[in-house]
Amino acid sequence: MADAIQWIRSLIFMIVIYAWMLVLGIVFAPYALFAKKGALQACKLYARTTLWLARWMVGIRFEVRGTVPVDEVVIGAKHQSFLDIMIIFHAVSHGKFIMKRELLWTPMIGLYARRLGCIPVNRGKKGAAVAKMVKDVATEFAEPGQLVIYPQGTRVAPGARKPYKVGAAVLYEGLGFACVPAATNAGVFWPRTGVMRKPGLAIVDFLDPIEPGVEREAFLTRLEEAIETRSDALMREVGFDPDGVH
């Protein structure tokens, strides 16, 4: 019975947050079209509201640990669900995301992603996509912000293992900025698929930065070890065993 009630609460929560996304998107659209500040304010409000509703409606609390980056950096983040996007975006001053190109054609999301300075990537053309991504990012960083990239390229279920791709290293080399690894356990409570949302403490932990100048292979090794080790620890902290997933 408790699971059934939680599922119903989760379904209502999902309907509410997507309806709220549509309302905010429409209300702020004129402002966002003429001023990037309008897009940022709308998305910040949406993130705050979603995190508040998550606690109130389905019992998901959140916590940010470590030193939140405020300078121009690359954030290499573990990506388990929509929730870790919301927490990171809420925490940093001006987050910009590397995102799949298809999302640009999503109603509302595409408009605001463009105005925030998010960088679309064509996954089907890997070499060309990485080269264009570096060029686009260099152009976009004429304005300050924190660039978030998911080194595994997609959402990965808690405990699942997926290789780290070269894109994060190419950005790190090309931009010459430090890279801040970010670990999370968000997928334990807000999975990448399905309706059910589980109560608990979702954490994003900003780890020690990797300073510029580290060789590519060594960089990727350090990034993966930092993110995976800490993410596993965060999952164990809330009672989920990542080693038990096959």
Side-chain angles (χ1 to χ4, degrees):
M1 178 62 74
D3 284 347
I5 293 174
Q6 185 68 19
W7 190 91
I8 293 170
R9 289 167 65 95
S10 299
L11 178 61
I12 296 171
F13 168 69
M14 297 303 292
I15 293 171
V16 168
I17 65 169
Y18 285 115
W20 180 231
M21 178 188 291
L22 180 61
V23 170
L24 270 184
I26 293 172
V27 170
F28 274 83
Y31 186 16
L33 282 170
F34 289 100
K36 290 185 177 182
K37 182 180 178 181
L40 181 63
Q41 288 180 353
C43 294
K44 286 288 189 180
L45 177 58
Y46 180 74
R48 288 196 304 271
T49 307
T50 298
L51 293 171
W52 180 80
L53 288 170
R55 179 167 187 158
W56 178 62
M57 297 185 71
V58 293
I60 299 177
R61 297 167 290 121
F62 80 96
E63 181 177 305
V64 176
R65 297 180 182 174
T67 302
V68 178
V70 295
D71 299 324
E72 293 181 328
V73 297
V74 175
I75 298 175
K78 184 72 173 175
H79 188 22
Q80 295 182 338
S81 79
F82 184 64
L83 178 58
D84 53 68
I85 296 176
M86 292 293 96
I87 296 174
I88 290 174
F89 187 76
H90 174 71
V92 301
S93 61
H94 193 152
K96 309 174 185 185
F97 294 81
I98 302 294
M99 56 185 282
K100 58 183 180 181
R101 181 170 294 278
E102 292 82 356
L103 288 176
L104 286 181
W105 312 115
T106 305
M108 296 301 166
I109 293 177
L111 165 65
Y112 285 89
R114 284 188 177 96
R115 299 301 285 161
L116 287 176
C118 296
I119 309 297
V121 174
N122 186 346
R123 291 183 181 179
K125 300 178 179 179
K126 295 182 179 179
V130 170
K132 187 175 188 307
M133 176 177 65
V134 173
K135 180 180 178 182
D136 290 346
V137 168
T139 300
E140 189 56 46
F141 262 91
E143 298 181 12
Q146 299 80 38
L147 180 68
V148 183
I149 184 169
Y150 299 112
Q152 292 170 293
T154 188
R155 291 172 296 175
V156 179
R161 304 300 174 187
K162 190 175 179 66
Y164 278 52
K165 298 182 178 181
V166 73
V170 173
L171 279 181
Y172 164 79
E173 292 174 352
L175 293 173
F177 296 150
C179 178
V180 177
T184 190
N185 64 1
V188 173
F189 310 104
W190 185 321
R192 61 195 181 101
T193 59
V195 171
M196 187 69 161
R197 303 292 180 258
K198 301 175 182 178
L201 181 61
I203 303 165
V204 166
D205 193 355
F206 292 102
L207 308 175
D208 292 338
I210 302 173
E211 297 301 328
V214 178
E215 186 271 331
R216 181 176 296 187
E217 289 188 12
F219 166 79
L220 283 173
T221 298
R222 284 180 58 180
L223 183 67
E224 181 172 358
E225 287 180 352
I227 293 175
E228 294 301 311
T229 300
R230 186 58 183 150
S231 293
D232 286 352
L234 293 176
M235 286 185 276
R236 292 189 184 97
E237 182 178 326
V238 297
F240 181 90
D241 181 11
D243 296 323
V245 177
H246 299 286

